[in-house]
Amino acid sequence: MKSCIPNVPLSTNVTVPVRLRRAIHLHDLVLVERIIKKNPDKLQNPDFEDNGNTSLHLAAQLALLEIAQFLVDAGHEDDFISCNANGETPLHLAVETSVPIALLLAAKFPRCIPWKNKQGADAVMLSARTSVSHPTNPTSPPAQQSPPRLRSTASSPQLLVSTLIQYSPIPASVLLAAADNDGNTALHYASAYGQLKAIRALLAAGSNPGARNAYSWTPMAYSSTVQAEVYFRGLVGAAGESGIGGVVKREADGSGSGGGLHRGGVGGLGVRIVRTGEEVGSRMDMLVGDGRRRAGSAD
């Protein structure tokens, strides 16, 4: 007989690490407190069958605020910041599952905000995409579409993005210019996932709408819908009228030098391209899950 809890087998002789993980999965704060009190050396309790996630990773993944608060207060991150096999801190997981836990971790451990995982993504980039639960690739049949790593329950991406920028130990200009392994900034993520509030917050904080990724494409070129692109253009236009200037507007359109048809991906999404001089509705969809360049032509 198998346990209904992942990686937690049913057994009459359950070890302390398994008991602790089971208690977290059962949302049993009292039991978690009791186990940690009797076994303080098992506080972090990394599970190497689950990507090396620690107790705090698990609490963040399951959006368990009270347990996360207890683990933090018990000293889970006092000696060093826990990091799983993908280079993710608990904050990386929390920004996609729980705004309250993400705010707690950002306030307690601000040095985690610019920390990048193995894909080069930091907490701001991941928080910029959180409210879309199931982004899809328009060129793949439904059976081949991959859901995001975690189902998001974050309710206020604009608040979270703004707070992460505020708490960051590095200047906002440096944080917002950071890019993942494909050269995508947080604004690329927000645009690709249709996060209009996050786009607004990032632009207000100073994100560059003309930033180009490794494939020479700007955030606006990844707009998930026509409406999102129109909204994005409006924000950039308003910024231009405030003094940013026309060069940024041309770069945001993707019409500056260095453009081309090769297109990299953002988080496994398909990309809709709107070429300068064509009507807003024209598009080219491409498969971009593996980060490889693929060529195509606009409709």
Side-chain angles (χ1 to χ4, degrees), residues 26-56:
L26 294 173
H27 307 185
D28 193 335
L29 175 60
V30 174
L31 182 55
V32 170
E33 291 175 340
R34 185 184 308 149
I35 294 173
I36 295 301
K37 183 177 181 179
K38 293 183 178 180
N39 305 273
D41 59 316
K42 303 299 183 183
L43 178 60
Q44 288 196 324
N45 194 30
D47 182 2
F48 298 106
E49 293 184 2
D50 182 28
N51 204 34
N53 286 323
T54 65
S55 299
L56 190 54

Side-chain angles (χ1 to χ4, degrees), residues 237-290:
E241 292 174 1
S242 300
I244 292 180
V247 173
V248 170
K249 289 184 66 178
R250 289 195 301 273
E251 285 297 303
D253 289 340
S255 57
S257 61
L261 297 180
H262 293 325
R263 207 58 179 286
V266 180
L269 288 179
V271 178
R272 182 182 63 81
I273 300 177
V274 178
R275 298 293 300 274
T276 303
E278 297 175 348
E279 61 180 335
V280 172
S282 65
R283 63 180 61 189
M284 176 178 70
D285 296 326
M286 301 183 65
L287 180 61
V288 290
D290 57 5

Side-chain angles (χ1 to χ4, degrees), residues 2-157:
K2 294 184 179 180
S3 169
C4 61
I5 301 174
N7 299 318
V8 181
L10 288 175
S11 172
T12 56
N13 185 24
V14 182
T15 63
V16 172
V18 172
R19 287 174 52 217
L20 178 55
R21 286 192 288 275
R22 178 179 292 176
I24 296 174
H25 274 285
L26 294 173
H27 307 185
D28 193 335
L29 175 60
V30 174
L31 182 55
V32 170
E33 291 175 340
R34 185 184 308 149
I35 294 173
I36 295 301
K37 183 177 181 179
K38 293 183 178 180
N39 305 273
D41 59 316
K42 303 299 183 183
L43 178 60
Q44 288 196 324
N45 194 30
D47 182 2
F48 298 106
E49 293 184 2
D50 182 28
N51 204 34
N53 286 323
T54 65
S55 299
L56 190 54
H57 280 95
L58 185 57
Q61 190 175 39
L62 298 175
L64 304 177
L65 178 59
E66 291 185 348
I67 291 179
Q69 180 72 69
F70 166 74
L71 293 171
V72 170
D73 293 342
H76 192 286
E77 307 289 89
D78 282 1
D79 295 331
F80 54 87
I81 298 298
S82 53
C83 186
N84 67 17
N86 195 43
E88 297 166 317
T89 70
L91 179 60
H92 281 89
L93 304 189
V95 296
E96 296 197 281
T97 59
S98 169
V99 169
I101 295 178
L103 294 177
L104 165 69
L105 297 177
K108 289 281 189 179
F109 315 108
R111 63 188 183 278
C112 294
I113 296 172
W115 189 310
K116 293 186 176 184
N117 62 20
K118 288 187 177 180
Q119 289 72 47
D122 60 31
V124 176
M125 296 175 197
L126 297 180
S127 68
R129 73 181 189 181
T130 55
S131 70
V132 178
S133 297
H134 293 286
T136 59
N137 189 322
T139 61
S140 301
Q144 296 179 11
Q145 293 171 357
S146 299
R149 178 168 49 85
L150 293 173
R151 183 177 178 86
S152 171
T153 56
S155 59
S156 182

